[in-house]
PDB file of all heavy atoms in Angstrom:
ATOM      1  N   PHE A  24      71.713  28.142  45.339  1.00 58.00           N
ATOM      2  CA  PHE A  24      71.201  26.984  46.067  1.00 58.00           C
ATOM      3  C   PHE A  24      71.097  25.758  45.172  1.00 58.00           C
ATOM      4  O   PHE A  24      71.276  24.643  45.623  1.00 58.00           O
ATOM      5  CB  PHE A  24      69.827  27.305  46.674  1.00 58.00           C
ATOM      6  CG  PHE A  24      69.923  27.986  48.007  1.00 58.00           C
ATOM      7  CD1 PHE A  24      69.585  29.315  48.151  1.00 58.00           C
ATOM      8  CD2 PHE A  24      70.370  27.295  49.115  1.00 58.00           C
ATOM      9  CE1 PHE A  24      69.685  29.945  49.374  1.00 58.00           C
ATOM     10  CE2 PHE A  24      70.470  27.918  50.351  1.00 58.00           C
ATOM     11  CZ  PHE A  24      70.124  29.247  50.475  1.00 58.00           C
ATOM     12  N   GLY A  25      70.791  25.970  43.892  1.00 55.00           N
ATOM     13  CA  GLY A  25      70.689  24.835  42.981  1.00 55.00           C
ATOM     14  C   GLY A  25      72.045  24.225  42.676  1.00 55.00           C
ATOM     15  O   GLY A  25      72.380  23.124  43.131  1.00 55.00           O
ATOM     16  N   PRO A  26      72.907  24.946  41.931  1.00 52.00           N
ATOM     17  CA  PRO A  26      74.197  24.364  41.556  1.00 52.00           C
ATOM     18  C   PRO A  26      75.148  24.146  42.718  1.00 52.00           C
ATOM     19  O   PRO A  26      76.071  23.351  42.615  1.00 52.00           O
ATOM     20  CB  PRO A  26      74.764  25.396  40.570  1.00 52.00           C
ATOM     21  CG  PRO A  26      74.065  26.669  40.895  1.00 52.00           C
ATOM     22  CD  PRO A  26      72.707  26.267  41.339  1.00 52.00           C
ATOM     23  N   TYR A  27      74.931  24.865  43.835  1.00 51.00           N
ATOM     24  CA  TYR A  27      75.852  24.729  44.961  1.00 51.00           C
ATOM     25  C   TYR A  27      75.201  24.011  46.149  1.00 51.00           C
ATOM     26  O   TYR A  27      75.596  24.199  47.288  1.00 51.00           O
ATOM     27  CB  TYR A  27      76.369  26.106  45.387  1.00 51.00           C
ATOM     28  CG  TYR A  27      77.419  26.632  44.455  1.00 51.00           C
ATOM     29  CD1 TYR A  27      77.045  27.237  43.259  1.00 51.00           C
ATOM     30  CD2 TYR A  27      78.766  26.505  44.741  1.00 51.00           C
ATOM     31  CE1 TYR A  27      77.996  27.699  42.372  1.00 51.00           C
ATOM     32  CE2 TYR A  27      79.733  26.964  43.860  1.00 51.00           C
ATOM     33  CZ  TYR A  27      79.336  27.561  42.677  1.00 51.00           C
ATOM     34  OH  TYR A  27      80.282  28.012  41.794  1.00 51.00           O
ATOM     35  N   GLY A  28      74.211  23.186  45.841  1.00 54.00           N
ATOM     36  CA  GLY A  28      73.566  22.436  46.910  1.00 54.00           C
ATOM     37  C   GLY A  28      74.510  21.485  47.612  1.00 54.00           C
ATOM     38  O   GLY A  28      74.320  21.142  48.772  1.00 54.00           O
ATOM     39  N   SER A  29      75.550  21.056  46.890  1.00 62.00           N
ATOM     40  CA  SER A  29      76.527  20.140  47.486  1.00 62.00           C
ATOM     41  C   SER A  29      77.610  20.881  48.258  1.00 62.00           C
ATOM     42  O   SER A  29      78.522  20.259  48.800  1.00 62.00           O
ATOM     43  CB  SER A  29      77.178  19.285  46.386  1.00 62.00           C
ATOM     44  OG  SER A  29      77.783  20.114  45.409  1.00 62.00           O
ATOM     45  N   TYR A  30      77.524  22.224  48.293  1.00 69.00           N
ATOM     46  CA  TYR A  30      78.472  23.047  49.050  1.00 69.00           C
ATOM     47  C   TYR A  30      77.708  23.935  50.038  1.00 69.00           C
ATOM     48  O   TYR A  30      77.725  25.154  49.937  1.00 69.00           O
ATOM     49  CB  TYR A  30      79.312  23.922  48.114  1.00 69.00           C
ATOM     50  CG  TYR A  30      80.159  23.146  47.148  1.00 69.00           C
ATOM     51  CD1 TYR A  30      79.694  22.895  45.865  1.00 69.00           C
ATOM     52  CD2 TYR A  30      81.410  22.661  47.525  1.00 69.00           C
ATOM     53  CE1 TYR A  30      80.466  22.176  44.968  1.00 69.00           C
ATOM     54  CE2 TYR A  30      82.188  21.940  46.625  1.00 69.00           C
ATOM     55  CZ  TYR A  30      81.711  21.690  45.353  1.00 69.00           C
ATOM     56  OH  TYR A  30      82.469  20.982  44.459  1.00 69.00           O
ATOM     57  N   PRO A  31      77.033  23.341  50.996  1.00 79.00           N
ATOM     58  CA  PRO A  31      76.221  24.150  51.923  1.00 79.00           C
ATOM     59  C   PRO A  31      77.061  25.009  52.855  1.00 79.00           C
ATOM     60  O   PRO A  31      76.604  26.046  53.322  1.00 79.00           O
ATOM     61  CB  PRO A  31      75.418  23.104  52.698  1.00 79.00           C
ATOM     62  CG  PRO A  31      76.272  21.870  52.648  1.00 79.00           C
ATOM     63  CD  PRO A  31      76.945  21.897  51.309  1.00 79.00           C
ATOM     64  N   GLY A  32      78.297  24.597  53.135  1.00 81.00           N
ATOM     65  CA  GLY A  32      79.151  25.382  54.029  1.00 81.00           C
ATOM     66  C   GLY A  32      79.348  26.803  53.557  1.00 81.00           C
ATOM     67  O   GLY A  32      79.114  27.757  54.312  1.00 81.00           O
ATOM     68  N   PRO A  33      79.791  27.019  52.306  1.00 80.00           N
ATOM     69  CA  PRO A  33      79.939  28.388  51.807  1.00 80.00           C
ATOM     70  C   PRO A  33      78.629  29.172  51.782  1.00 80.00           C
ATOM     71  O   PRO A  33      78.636  30.389  51.978  1.00 80.00           O
ATOM     72  CB  PRO A  33      80.486  28.181  50.396  1.00 80.00           C
ATOM     73  CG  PRO A  33      81.195  26.870  50.465  1.00 80.00           C
ATOM     74  CD  PRO A  33      80.375  26.035  51.402  1.00 80.00           C
ATOM     75  N   LEU A  34      77.515  28.472  51.558  1.00 81.00           N
ATOM     76  CA  LEU A  34      76.222  29.163  51.580  1.00 81.00           C
ATOM     77  C   LEU A  34      75.922  29.681  52.977  1.00 81.00           C
ATOM     78  O   LEU A  34      75.427  30.797  53.152  1.00 81.00           O
ATOM     79  CB  LEU A  34      75.114  28.221  51.110  1.00 81.00           C
ATOM     80  CG  LEU A  34      75.113  27.862  49.623  1.00 81.00           C
ATOM     81  CD1 LEU A  34      74.014  26.852  49.321  1.00 81.00           C
ATOM     82  CD2 LEU A  34      74.927  29.098  48.777  1.00 81.00           C
ATOM     83  N   TYR A  35      76.205  28.867  53.986  1.00 84.00           N
ATOM     84  CA  TYR A  35      76.017  29.316  55.362  1.00 84.00           C
ATOM     85  C   TYR A  35      76.965  30.472  55.692  1.00 84.00           C
ATOM     86  O   TYR A  35      76.591  31.414  56.389  1.00 84.00           O
ATOM     87  CB  TYR A  35      76.251  28.166  56.343  1.00 84.00           C
ATOM     88  CG  TYR A  35      75.128  27.164  56.415  1.00 84.00           C
ATOM     89  CD1 TYR A  35      75.341  25.812  56.166  1.00 84.00           C
ATOM     90  CD2 TYR A  35      73.841  27.580  56.736  1.00 84.00           C
ATOM     91  CE1 TYR A  35      74.300  24.893  56.236  1.00 84.00           C
ATOM     92  CE2 TYR A  35      72.794  26.669  56.812  1.00 84.00           C
ATOM     93  CZ  TYR A  35      73.033  25.321  56.554  1.00 84.00           C
ATOM     94  OH  TYR A  35      72.001  24.428  56.618  1.00 84.00           O
ATOM     95  N   ALA A  36      78.187  30.399  55.200  1.00 84.00           N
ATOM     96  CA  ALA A  36      79.153  31.468  55.460  1.00 84.00           C
ATOM     97  C   ALA A  36      78.686  32.777  54.812  1.00 84.00           C
ATOM     98  O   ALA A  36      78.763  33.846  55.424  1.00 84.00           O
ATOM     99  CB  ALA A  36      80.528  31.066  54.934  1.00 84.00           C
ATOM    100  N   ALA A  37      78.216  32.695  53.569  1.00 79.00           N
ATOM    101  CA  ALA A  37      77.726  33.897  52.887  1.00 79.00           C
ATOM    102  C   ALA A  37      76.492  34.464  53.584  1.00 79.00           C
ATOM    103  O   ALA A  37      76.342  35.684  53.720  1.00 79.00           O
ATOM    104  CB  ALA A  37      77.401  33.569  51.432  1.00 79.00           C
ATOM    105  N   ALA A  38      75.610  33.575  54.036  1.00 82.00           N
ATOM    106  CA  ALA A  38      74.420  34.040  54.754  1.00 82.00           C
ATOM    107  C   ALA A  38      74.796  34.696  56.076  1.00 82.00           C
ATOM    108  O   ALA A  38      74.161  35.659  56.513  1.00 82.00           O
ATOM    109  CB  ALA A  38      73.471  32.868  55.003  1.00 82.00           C
ATOM    110  N   THR A  39      75.833  34.184  56.733  1.00 85.00           N
ATOM    111  CA  THR A  39      76.320  34.801  57.971  1.00 85.00           C
ATOM    112  C   THR A  39      76.854  36.195  57.705  1.00 85.00           C
ATOM    113  O   THR A  39      76.571  37.142  58.456  1.00 85.00           O
ATOM    114  CB  THR A  39      77.415  33.929  58.609  1.00 85.00           C
ATOM    115  OG1 THR A  39      76.896  32.628  58.894  1.00 85.00           O
ATOM    116  CG2 THR A  39      77.914  34.562  59.900  1.00 85.00           C
ATOM    117  N   LEU A  40      77.627  36.344  56.634  1.00 81.00           N
ATOM    118  CA  LEU A  40      78.132  37.669  56.265  1.00 81.00           C
ATOM    119  C   LEU A  40      76.989  38.630  55.965  1.00 81.00           C
ATOM    120  O   LEU A  40      77.093  39.829  56.224  1.00 81.00           O
ATOM    121  CB  LEU A  40      79.054  37.554  55.046  1.00 81.00           C
ATOM    122  CG  LEU A  40      80.379  36.819  55.257  1.00 81.00           C
ATOM    123  CD1 LEU A  40      81.131  36.724  53.937  1.00 81.00           C
ATOM    124  CD2 LEU A  40      81.227  37.536  56.296  1.00 81.00           C
ATOM    125  N   LEU A  41      75.897  38.094  55.452  1.00 81.00           N
ATOM    126  CA  LEU A  41      74.742  38.922  55.100  1.00 81.00           C
ATOM    127  C   LEU A  41      74.077  39.513  56.340  1.00 81.00           C
ATOM    128  O   LEU A  41      73.461  40.577  56.274  1.00 81.00           O
ATOM    129  CB  LEU A  41      73.731  38.083  54.308  1.00 81.00           C
ATOM    130  CG  LEU A  41      72.607  38.814  53.570  1.00 81.00           C
ATOM    131  CD1 LEU A  41      73.175  39.732  52.512  1.00 81.00           C
ATOM    132  CD2 LEU A  41      71.655  37.813  52.954  1.00 81.00           C
ATOM    133  N   THR A  42      74.195  38.840  57.478  1.00 83.00           N
ATOM    134  CA  THR A  42      73.545  39.319  58.701  1.00 83.00           C
ATOM    135  C   THR A  42      74.408  40.287  59.504  1.00 83.00           C
ATOM    136  O   THR A  42      73.887  41.024  60.345  1.00 83.00           O
ATOM    137  CB  THR A  42      73.180  38.134  59.615  1.00 83.00           C
ATOM    138  OG1 THR A  42      74.379  37.471  60.038  1.00 83.00           O
ATOM    139  CG2 THR A  42      72.282  37.144  58.877  1.00 83.00           C
ATOM    140  N   PHE A  43      75.722  40.302  59.253  1.00 80.00           N
ATOM    141  CA  PHE A  43      76.613  41.090  60.092  1.00 80.00           C
ATOM    142  C   PHE A  43      76.409  42.598  59.992  1.00 80.00           C
ATOM    143  O   PHE A  43      76.432  43.289  61.019  1.00 80.00           O
ATOM    144  CB  PHE A  43      78.070  40.730  59.795  1.00 80.00           C
ATOM    145  CG  PHE A  43      78.616  39.684  60.722  1.00 80.00           C
ATOM    146  CD1 PHE A  43      78.801  38.384  60.298  1.00 80.00           C
ATOM    147  CD2 PHE A  43      78.919  40.001  62.037  1.00 80.00           C
ATOM    148  CE1 PHE A  43      79.285  37.411  61.158  1.00 80.00           C
ATOM    149  CE2 PHE A  43      79.405  39.048  62.910  1.00 80.00           C
ATOM    150  CZ  PHE A  43      79.589  37.742  62.464  1.00 80.00           C
ATOM    151  N   PRO A  44      76.249  43.183  58.808  1.00 80.00           N
ATOM    152  CA  PRO A  44      76.080  44.646  58.752  1.00 80.00           C
ATOM    153  C   PRO A  44      74.908  45.152  59.577  1.00 80.00           C
ATOM    154  O   PRO A  44      75.021  46.175  60.254  1.00 80.00           O
ATOM    155  CB  PRO A  44      75.865  44.908  57.255  1.00 80.00           C
ATOM    156  CG  PRO A  44      76.567  43.785  56.583  1.00 80.00           C
ATOM    157  CD  PRO A  44      76.340  42.600  57.465  1.00 80.00           C
ATOM    158  N   ILE A  45      73.781  44.447  59.541  1.00 78.00           N
ATOM    159  CA  ILE A  45      72.623  44.874  60.318  1.00 78.00           C
ATOM    160  C   ILE A  45      72.916  44.768  61.807  1.00 78.00           C
ATOM    161  O   ILE A  45      72.550  45.652  62.593  1.00 78.00           O
ATOM    162  CB  ILE A  45      71.389  44.029  59.943  1.00 78.00           C
ATOM    163  CG1 ILE A  45      71.028  44.253  58.469  1.00 78.00           C
ATOM    164  CG2 ILE A  45      70.206  44.372  60.835  1.00 78.00           C
ATOM    165  CD1 ILE A  45      69.896  43.396  57.982  1.00 78.00           C
ATOM    166  N   LEU A  46      73.578  43.684  62.207  1.00 80.00           N
ATOM    167  CA  LEU A  46      73.925  43.504  63.619  1.00 80.00           C
ATOM    168  C   LEU A  46      74.861  44.598  64.093  1.00 80.00           C
ATOM    169  O   LEU A  46      74.683  45.172  65.173  1.00 80.00           O
ATOM    170  CB  LEU A  46      74.559  42.129  63.816  1.00 80.00           C
ATOM    171  CG  LEU A  46      75.036  41.790  65.234  1.00 80.00           C
ATOM    172  CD1 LEU A  46      73.866  41.784  66.201  1.00 80.00           C
ATOM    173  CD2 LEU A  46      75.763  40.448  65.245  1.00 80.00           C
ATOM    174  N   ILE A  47      75.869  44.923  63.292  1.00 81.00           N
ATOM    175  CA  ILE A  47      76.833  45.959  63.668  1.00 81.00           C
ATOM    176  C   ILE A  47      76.158  47.321  63.769  1.00 81.00           C
ATOM    177  O   ILE A  47      76.398  48.083  64.719  1.00 81.00           O
ATOM    178  CB  ILE A  47      77.986  45.996  62.645  1.00 81.00           C
ATOM    179  CG1 ILE A  47      78.802  44.707  62.728  1.00 81.00           C
ATOM    180  CG2 ILE A  47      78.888  47.208  62.890  1.00 81.00           C
ATOM    181  CD1 ILE A  47      79.844  44.564  61.648  1.00 81.00           C
ATOM    182  N   LEU A  48      75.296  47.646  62.799  1.00 77.00           N
ATOM    183  CA  LEU A  48      74.588  48.921  62.837  1.00 77.00           C
ATOM    184  C   LEU A  48      73.697  49.018  64.066  1.00 77.00           C
ATOM    185  O   LEU A  48      73.612  50.068  64.704  1.00 77.00           O
ATOM    186  CB  LEU A  48      73.749  49.094  61.570  1.00 77.00           C
ATOM    187  CG  LEU A  48      74.488  49.539  60.310  1.00 77.00           C
ATOM    188  CD1 LEU A  48      73.541  49.568  59.134  1.00 77.00           C
ATOM    189  CD2 LEU A  48      75.121  50.905  60.515  1.00 77.00           C
ATOM    190  N   PHE A  49      73.027  47.927  64.403  1.00 76.00           N
ATOM    191  CA  PHE A  49      72.153  47.956  65.577  1.00 76.00           C
ATOM    192  C   PHE A  49      72.955  48.188  66.855  1.00 76.00           C
ATOM    193  O   PHE A  49      72.533  48.940  67.734  1.00 76.00           O
ATOM    194  CB  PHE A  49      71.368  46.650  65.688  1.00 76.00           C
ATOM    195  CG  PHE A  49      70.422  46.627  66.857  1.00 76.00           C
ATOM    196  CD1 PHE A  49      69.196  47.262  66.787  1.00 76.00           C
ATOM    197  CD2 PHE A  49      70.776  45.995  68.039  1.00 76.00           C
ATOM    198  CE1 PHE A  49      68.329  47.245  67.870  1.00 76.00           C
ATOM    199  CE2 PHE A  49      69.922  45.980  69.125  1.00 76.00           C
ATOM    200  CZ  PHE A  49      68.688  46.614  69.037  1.00 76.00           C
ATOM    201  N   ILE A  50      74.114  47.555  66.958  1.00 78.00           N
ATOM    202  CA  ILE A  50      74.958  47.741  68.147  1.00 78.00           C
ATOM    203  C   ILE A  50      75.438  49.187  68.231  1.00 78.00           C
ATOM    204  O   ILE A  50      75.442  49.803  69.299  1.00 78.00           O
ATOM    205  CB  ILE A  50      76.140  46.764  68.123  1.00 78.00           C
ATOM    206  CG1 ILE A  50      75.643  45.326  68.274  1.00 78.00           C
ATOM    207  CG2 ILE A  50      77.137  47.096  69.231  1.00 78.00           C
ATOM    208  CD1 ILE A  50      76.728  44.278  68.125  1.00 78.00           C
ATOM    209  N   LEU A  51      75.841  49.756  67.107  1.00 77.00           N
ATOM    210  CA  LEU A  51      76.366  51.121  67.090  1.00 77.00           C
ATOM    211  C   LEU A  51      75.301  52.153  67.421  1.00 77.00           C
ATOM    212  O   LEU A  51      75.570  53.162  68.085  1.00 77.00           O
ATOM    213  CB  LEU A  51      76.985  51.425  65.722  1.00 77.00           C
ATOM    214  CG  LEU A  51      78.272  50.676  65.361  1.00 77.00           C
ATOM    215  CD1 LEU A  51      78.707  51.018  63.941  1.00 77.00           C
ATOM    216  CD2 LEU A  51      79.383  51.005  66.340  1.00 77.00           C
ATOM    217  N   PHE A  52      74.062  51.908  66.953  1.00 72.00           N
ATOM    218  CA  PHE A  52      73.005  52.903  67.114  1.00 72.00           C
ATOM    219  C   PHE A  52      71.906  52.447  68.075  1.00 72.00           C
ATOM    220  O   PHE A  52      70.805  52.972  68.044  1.00 72.00           O
ATOM    221  CB  PHE A  52      72.367  53.213  65.750  1.00 72.00           C
ATOM    222  CG  PHE A  52      73.308  53.833  64.770  1.00 72.00           C
ATOM    223  CD1 PHE A  52      73.882  53.072  63.771  1.00 72.00           C
ATOM    224  CD2 PHE A  52      73.640  55.174  64.852  1.00 72.00           C
ATOM    225  CE1 PHE A  52      74.754  53.626  62.856  1.00 72.00           C
ATOM    226  CE2 PHE A  52      74.507  55.751  63.947  1.00 72.00           C
ATOM    227  CZ  PHE A  52      75.072  54.977  62.947  1.00 72.00           C
ATOM    228  N   SER A  53      72.216  51.474  68.931  1.00 68.00           N
ATOM    229  CA  SER A  53      71.180  50.908  69.798  1.00 68.00           C
ATOM    230  C   SER A  53      70.581  51.946  70.739  1.00 68.00           C
ATOM    231  O   SER A  53      69.371  51.964  70.984  1.00 68.00           O
ATOM    232  CB  SER A  53      71.759  49.734  70.597  1.00 68.00           C
ATOM    233  OG  SER A  53      72.857  50.158  71.386  1.00 68.00           O
ATOM    234  N   ARG A  54      71.428  52.854  71.274  1.00 68.00           N
ATOM    235  CA  ARG A  54      70.915  53.862  72.210  1.00 68.00           C
ATOM    236  C   ARG A  54      69.931  54.804  71.515  1.00 68.00           C
ATOM    237  O   ARG A  54      68.833  55.055  72.022  1.00 68.00           O
ATOM    238  CB  ARG A  54      72.065  54.658  72.811  1.00 68.00           C
ATOM    239  CG  ARG A  54      71.622  55.704  73.822  1.00 68.00           C
ATOM    240  CD  ARG A  54      72.810  56.376  74.483  1.00 68.00           C
ATOM    241  NE  ARG A  54      73.655  55.408  75.173  1.00 68.00           N
ATOM    242  CZ  ARG A  54      74.778  55.740  75.796  1.00 68.00           C
ATOM    243  NH1 ARG A  54      75.209  56.996  75.799  1.00 68.00           N
ATOM    244  NH2 ARG A  54      75.490  54.811  76.418  1.00 68.00           N
TER     245      ARG A  54
END
């Protein structure tokens, strides 16, 4: 966040990737 404050797009992309595994697991095991 410090050195890459001027590149927020990749930070958002990485944060999005961080949420996907939990979302996928929840969909697979929701029942």
Side-chain angles (χ1 to χ4, degrees):
F24 275 109
Y27 283 81
S29 57
Y30 298 95
L34 289 176
Y35 284 123
T39 301
L40 293 177
L41 194 62
T42 64
F43 266 105
I45 297 176
L46 178 62
I47 293 172
L48 281 176
F49 181 80
I50 293 174
L51 291 176
F52 296 101
S53 59
R54 181 175 301 178

